[in-house]
Amino acid sequence: MTQYANVIVDLSAGALDRMFSYRVPEGMQIVPGQQVRIPFGPRRIEGFVVSLTDECELDPARVKDVLEPVQDYPVVLPELMELADWMHERYLCNLVDALRLMIPAEMRSGRVRIRTKRFVHLNWSGEQIDGFGRTNPRAGRQIELLHQLQAGDLEAAQLNASALKALVQRGAVTVYEGEQRRTPSALRGFVDAREFTLTAGQRRAVAAITEAMDRGGGRFLLNGITGSGKTEVYIRAIRHALERGQTAIVLVPEIALTPQMVSWFHGRFGDRAAVLHSGLSAGEKFDEWRRIRFGEAQVVVGARSAIFAPLTNIGAIIVDEEHENTYQSESRPRYDAREVAWRRAEKNGAVLVLGSATPSISSFMRAMPGVRAENRLELLEMRERVNGRPLPEVEVVDMRAEFERGNHSVFSDRLSDELERCLNAGEQAVLFINRRGHSTFVSCRKCGYVVKCPQCDVSMTYHQVENQLRCHYCGNTMPPPRTCPQCGSSYIKYFGAGTQKVAEEAQKLLPEARIVRMDVDTTRGKDAHERILSRFRSGEANLLIGTQMIAKGLDFPNVTLVGVVAADMTLNLPDYRSTERTFQLITQVAGRAGRGDKPGRVIVQTYDPDHYGIQLAAAQDFRAFYRKESAFRRSALYPPFTQIVRIVYSGKDEEQVRAAAEADEQRFAAWLEEKNMRGDAVQLRAAEAPISLLRGEHRWQLFLKMYFKGDLNAACARMQELADAAPEGVRAELEVNPANLY
Ligand code: ADP
Ligand code: ZN
Ligand code: ZN
């Protein structure tokens, strides 16, 4: 009986987002999930087999044959095939875009190959070798080689060529082509296999998680302070999964995916651990992926996209630093790895563990009493550091007072003094600059006043070209004030100092300091990240200066001082999450200090020392912060109490882009009226996007803030229709609860 394959073609175009039928030629073995080559018009392309049928509705004469399978095994497992389907609905993406996430990009259109090498295998027994040694005492090289091979097969290239050749001729050994796996450098590095006695907090957390695993699933929010040993909890949970014959995924934010982190897992799980992240070469990624696919590795450590690892029978999915917004993808499909993790855990009967010292407001809300069972996370708290040390002491320095006293440098007197003391004592220090690319706000250096939008209560952003201030939420504009509306000072200007500037000033202040800088500029190359950190780890450098990148996961026992150069940077981002981010960043960087035997100290410089985000971060009181912040969100109608959806329009012609956004505003408003949903919208407005020009393209947005009870799916579907119908020359992208609002 003839079989037909329903194939999703590997081309991105809205119109192609449907199944095409191909005949499976006699004798060809095809299963769903397999990648195949097919004729498509005049071209030969690749596609994914979604299903097989015995019938075909088309005229059989017009149905073409599958040319060949790309691999002899399915690349998309059934569970992941179903997940792709779910993503297609949830994120309004093409099915092919979801399917593409399931395999390393380089596997498509044959851009990576299996690398082979020549290996040597020993055919002789020990007796034969001894006999040969007696009769040929002068063949020392050959005898030595035979002995080497007794321990196992070796790579031909590493062996003495003439001795090898002689042994091949004797039939003593055979040379064969074998597959060679490219091992990521982090898995080659140092191994750390310490075994710990768990703390009481760790024991409780591990017990709750493993019991849930035995019951067939559960969801946890592990809220443990920095240094409470969350990683060890993850490791025990994974070990339990492996003991049960199951597998596990650990997601880590890309920037925290340090070799140190990976080596912990490698130290504990050896070759059973695989790593997936963007720093790997194409070959490494491909090889790691296949180790996972064929069951050689059962523990996957990776960044966001590792959630699609081809594992079966998953027992535990762990999302470390769950509050990080890098879990949300910013390109199509705009999925949220935490949501996908939730879904995969459910389907596999696995436990889901979201871990953080500073959980996101929305996750913490789910761990509060009264949440419906299907949305609930069980809260696990660890309030003590493993070494019994208190959290480092956090001092808040008022930069307005420094300014008054005539200190106009980037370092307060307190920070300079402490830096000097720390380095002179042979200890290490970290300086953190929470600068985020494009944002500049205007503030008064004398009194700390920040210009905010009267309607939105978020900082206005300074646009140099037009010399005006603009609100990135509602589009409000105003000229920058010449004098401070609060204190009358003329020192009101826009704010910003990068890592380079801070490094220069630090070097001036402390000529002896051995400084390393870590930011986007210094970490471009492969393994650059690792090189910088190893200079710091070895003590070659004693002062690390960096951005967000250094906030996470670093564990250096000799660091006793952490300085936050300007906490206001993130505090005044034009984003409703700016306080949350500031709190998280300060707590995280503060957590880098005092992890060893010596106590740590943290100095936070700010122009707004009384702000609750700064105060509560200094007190390291997440509970209190959560209460304050969720009250603010509720009253100001921000997520998670409302939902934000926007369409971003971009194109070369500003007029066209603007017109598209404004026309859609009219259409969408009319649609809301018609559906009787106007009351569900808190705000609807077409306005210039926060970054109005990006890579030469003008950007506008249609911004919708909706009450939570509103029908988000219906609104999104309508917005997607509008986006799909964008006029020629304008690109329109729908974003649901976007991670960044630029
Ligand atoms: P967190 O992620 O909660 O900030 P980590 O997982 O980085 O903390 O752990 C902090 C340090 O404590 C690490 O060096 C880790 O190896 C060590 N550690 C973890 N658990 C224990 C334990 N039970 N006893 C001693 N040291 C531990
Ligand atoms: Zn002022
Ligand atoms: Zn506004």
Side-chain angles (χ1 to χ4, degrees):
M1 189 170 29
T2 314
Q3 267 204 324
Y4 297 90
N6 296 315
V7 177
I8 292 281
V9 298
D10 197 353
L11 296 171
S12 276
L16 295 178
D17 196 33
R18 59 182 185 85
M19 234 77 83
F20 290 85
S21 285
Y22 289 87
R23 186 184 301 104
V24 180
E26 199 71 35
M28 192 186 284
Q29 286 294 329
I30 297 281
V31 294
Q34 215 160 338
Q35 224 185 343
V36 289
R37 259 184 275 280
I38 41 174
F40 194 76
R43 296 201 278 164
R44 306 177 59 181
I45 60 167
E46 290 173 358
F48 296 93
V49 176
V50 172
S51 58
L52 293 166
T53 53
D54 297 335
E55 288 153 40
C56 179
E57 282 157 26
L58 302 174
D59 170 9
R62 292 183 46 209
V63 176
K64 294 181 191 162
D65 280 7
V66 171
L67 298 171
E68 59 183 348
V70 179
Q71 297 88 2
D72 54 10
Y73 57 90
V75 293
V76 184
L77 297 170
E79 185 230 334
L80 292 169
M81 189 64 92
E82 201 210 304
L83 184 69
D85 230 15
W86 174 81
M87 292 177 69
H88 168 61
E89 305 233 316
R90 177 78 183 88
Y91 303 113
L92 303 160
C93 62
N94 288 348
L95 194 52
V96 69
D97 291 327
L99 287 170
R100 282 172 175 178
L101 293 170
M102 310 294 170
I103 61 176
E106 297 81 3
M107 255 176 89
R108 295 168 37 230
S109 49
R111 274 170 292 159
V112 278
R113 280 174 214 295
I114 294 172
R115 187 197 281 175
T116 58
K117 271 204 175 166
R118 290 164 63 240
F119 290 91
V120 183
H121 178 74
L122 178 64
N123 300 327
W124 279 358
S125 66
E127 252 165 62
Q128 281 173 296
I129 294 171
D130 292 343
F132 175 75
R134 279 193 298 276
T135 51
N136 301 277
R138 306 240 305 258
R141 285 240 172 80
Q142 293 179 46
I143 294 164
E144 189 191 329
L145 206 159
L146 288 166
H147 286 306
Q148 277 180 295
L149 284 166
Q150 279 183 304
D153 294 4
L154 291 171
E155 209 182 301
Q158 287 165 2
L159 305 174
N160 179 289
S162 60
L164 178 60
K165 196 167 162 207
L167 289 173
V168 171
Q169 278 164 2
R170 287 180 204 278
V173 302
T174 317
V175 176
Y176 64 94
E177 289 278 319
E179 179 179 334
Q180 200 225 351
R181 296 270 158 94
R182 286 147 284 206
T183 312
S185 59
L187 290 183
R188 279 187 253 118
F190 58 102
V191 166
D192 178 351
R194 282 176 288 171
E195 275 295 328
F196 300 117
T197 314
L198 296 183
T199 63
Q202 286 175 322
R203 243 192 342 265
R204 274 194 303 275
V206 171
I209 294 167
T210 53
E211 276 159 29
M213 213 182 298
D214 294 341
R215 283 197 310 270
R219 284 185 297 259
F220 299 92
L221 179 63
L222 178 60
N223 180 204
I225 61 170
T226 55
S228 59
K230 293 185 286 296
T231 316
E232 190 60 29
V233 174
Y234 306 152
I235 286 173
R236 299 295 171 111
I238 295 163
R239 190 185 285 170
H240 190 75
L242 294 179
E243 281 163 8
R244 292 171 42 87
Q246 294 187 294
T247 61
I249 299 178
V250 187
L251 297 187
V252 187
E254 183 81 48
I255 51 172
L257 199 55
T258 57
Q260 199 177 11
M261 181 81 177
V262 174
S263 86
W264 276 346
F265 286 97
H266 185 231
R268 298 309 182 77
F269 300 111
D271 291 340
R272 303 184 77 176
V275 52
L276 288 177
H277 65 92
S278 63
L280 301 183
S281 72
E284 287 170 351
K285 225 181 278 175
F286 177 51
D287 289 357
E288 286 293 88
W289 185 87
R290 281 179 315 135
R291 285 206 312 128
I292 301 162
R293 172 64 183 78
F294 296 116
E296 294 163 39
Q298 296 91 22
V299 180
V300 177
V301 184
R304 180 173 65 216
S305 61
I307 193 56
F308 303 110
L311 291 170
T312 53
N313 192 17
I314 303 171
I317 302 184
I318 287 149
V319 184
D320 188 29
E321 312 285 7
E322 71 87 25
H323 61 277
E324 279 295 317
N325 57 9
T326 54
Y327 286 122
Q328 201 161 351
S329 164
E330 293 198 16
S331 56
R332 265 194 182 206
R334 294 175 175 277
Y335 68 93
D336 186 319
R338 288 161 295 200
E339 252 174 30
V340 178
W342 187 293
R343 168 88 186 175
R344 276 200 94 178
E346 215 157 48
K347 288 281 156 186
N348 278 271
V351 292
L352 173 69
V353 181
L354 304 179
S356 174
T358 53
S360 61
I361 298 296
S362 56
S363 292
F364 204 75
M365 227 170 80
R366 289 170 187 253
M368 292 290 100
V371 176
R372 272 194 309 213
E374 68 266 29
N375 293 326
R376 194 181 306 143
L377 288 166
E378 189 179 322
L379 185 62
L380 300 171
E381 287 181 296
M382 298 200 296
R383 293 160 176 274
E384 249 132 61
R385 283 189 148 182
V386 289
N387 54 7
R389 289 229 162 259
L391 284 170
E393 202 178 300
V394 182
E395 246 177 82
V396 178
V397 175
D398 183 351
M399 292 305 276
R400 295 171 305 190
E402 294 286 318
F403 186 83
E404 285 282 284
R405 274 195 278 134
N407 175 8
H408 294 199
S409 101
V410 296
F411 299 119
S412 61
D413 291 346
R414 277 297 292 138
L415 186 52
S416 326
D417 289 351
E418 282 298 327
L419 267 174
E420 204 172 335
R421 186 210 51 77
C422 168
L423 301 189
N424 285 341
E427 297 164 6
Q428 292 178 302
V430 170
L431 288 180
F432 173 72
I433 294 104
N434 41 351
R435 181 172 177 73
R436 292 204 357 146
H438 324 278
S439 285
T440 28
F441 58 95
V442 168
S443 77
C444 171
R445 291 201 67 184
K446 186 140 178 280
C447 77
Y449 176 84
V450 174
V451 184
K452 291 195 169 178
C453 173
Q455 286 168 40
C456 303
D457 199 29
V458 296
S459 339
M460 306 272 292
T461 297
Y462 180 64
H463 288 247
Q464 203 157 11
V465 188
E466 310 101 57
N467 188 34
Q468 65 173 5
L469 294 172
R470 187 175 307 150
C471 171
H472 284 176
Y473 278 72
C474 72
N476 230 353
T477 61
M478 60 165 89
R482 281 160 197 273
T483 53
C484 173
Q486 189 165 284
C487 76
S489 150
S490 57
Y491 279 98
I492 182 155
K493 44 185 168 186
Y494 54 94
F495 201 90
T499 45
Q500 196 171 350
K501 171 107 191 304
V502 173
E504 281 164 19
E505 295 233 353
Q507 196 73 76
K508 250 188 265 162
L509 184 71
L510 304 155
E512 312 270 278
R514 303 182 302 277
I515 301 178
V516 276
R517 191 156 68 89
M518 194 152 125
D519 55 31
V520 282
D521 295 329
T522 59
T523 52
R524 265 184 239 280
K526 186 168 181 283
D527 298 333
H529 202 264
E530 196 178 334
R531 274 199 303 277
I532 295 172
L533 289 179
S534 77
R535 284 190 59 195
F536 193 61
R537 184 182 301 116
S538 69
E540 192 188 318
N542 58 1
L543 177 56
L544 172 64
I545 300 183
T547 55
Q548 264 73 343
M549 284 180 197
I550 61 173
K552 305 281 138 50
L554 303 183
D555 190 16
F556 298 118
N558 198 32
V559 172
T560 56
L561 175 66
V562 167
V564 178
V565 176
D568 306 68
M569 293 268 197
T570 38
L571 200 54
N572 292 304
L573 283 178
D575 190 312
Y576 67 89
R577 286 160 296 198
S578 61
T579 307
E580 184 182 8
R581 298 237 165 106
T582 306
F583 178 86
Q584 289 166 345
L585 279 168
I586 294 178
T587 311
Q588 296 287 349
V589 277
R592 301 308 114 208
R595 292 171 80 90
D597 300 328
K598 290 167 239 159
R601 177 179 293 283
V602 180
I603 294 182
V604 177
Q605 303 191 145
T606 175
Y607 288 90
D608 199 355
D610 299 324
H611 195 288
Y612 70 93
I614 305 259
Q615 284 293 323
L616 294 173
Q620 312 209 31
D621 188 344
F622 178 78
R623 283 264 178 174
F625 174 73
Y626 168 77
R627 280 194 299 274
K628 259 320 251 205
E629 184 65 10
S630 56
F632 158 70
R633 299 277 182 93
R634 191 190 302 269
S635 68
L637 293 172
Y638 279 123
F641 300 96
T642 55
Q643 353 194 34
I644 287 174
V645 192
R646 66 170 188 168
I647 305 178
V648 178
Y649 301 84
S650 48
K652 295 267 177 239
D653 185 308
E654 186 175 7
E655 200 40 46
Q656 259 187 347
V657 174
R658 184 187 58 76
E662 285 175 352
D664 279 354
E665 182 188 357
Q666 299 296 320
R667 292 190 191 110
F668 193 77
W671 179 84
L672 284 176
E673 266 335 315
E674 182 192 312
K675 297 282 168 202
N676 221 352
M677 280 170 60
R678 194 71 185 90
D680 291 341
V682 182
Q683 203 182 78
L684 172 70
R685 167 134 192 202
E688 207 166 45
I691 295 178
S692 56
L693 193 65
L694 194 64
R695 292 177 213 104
E697 292 197 322
H698 295 274
R699 302 171 84 239
W700 272 65
Q701 64 180 0
L702 177 59
F703 184 90
L704 169 69
K705 189 154 100 180
M706 245 177 108
Y707 287 105
F708 210 80
K709 63 177 172 60
D711 187 346
L712 183 72
N713 287 346
C716 288
R718 176 63 187 141
M719 277 192 150
Q720 184 68 59
E721 279 174 20
L722 293 173
D724 287 342
E728 189 103 12
V730 178
R731 250 177 328 109
E733 279 275 353
L734 179 72
E735 297 178 5
V736 182
N737 291 320
N740 286 305
L741 288 164
Y742 63 78

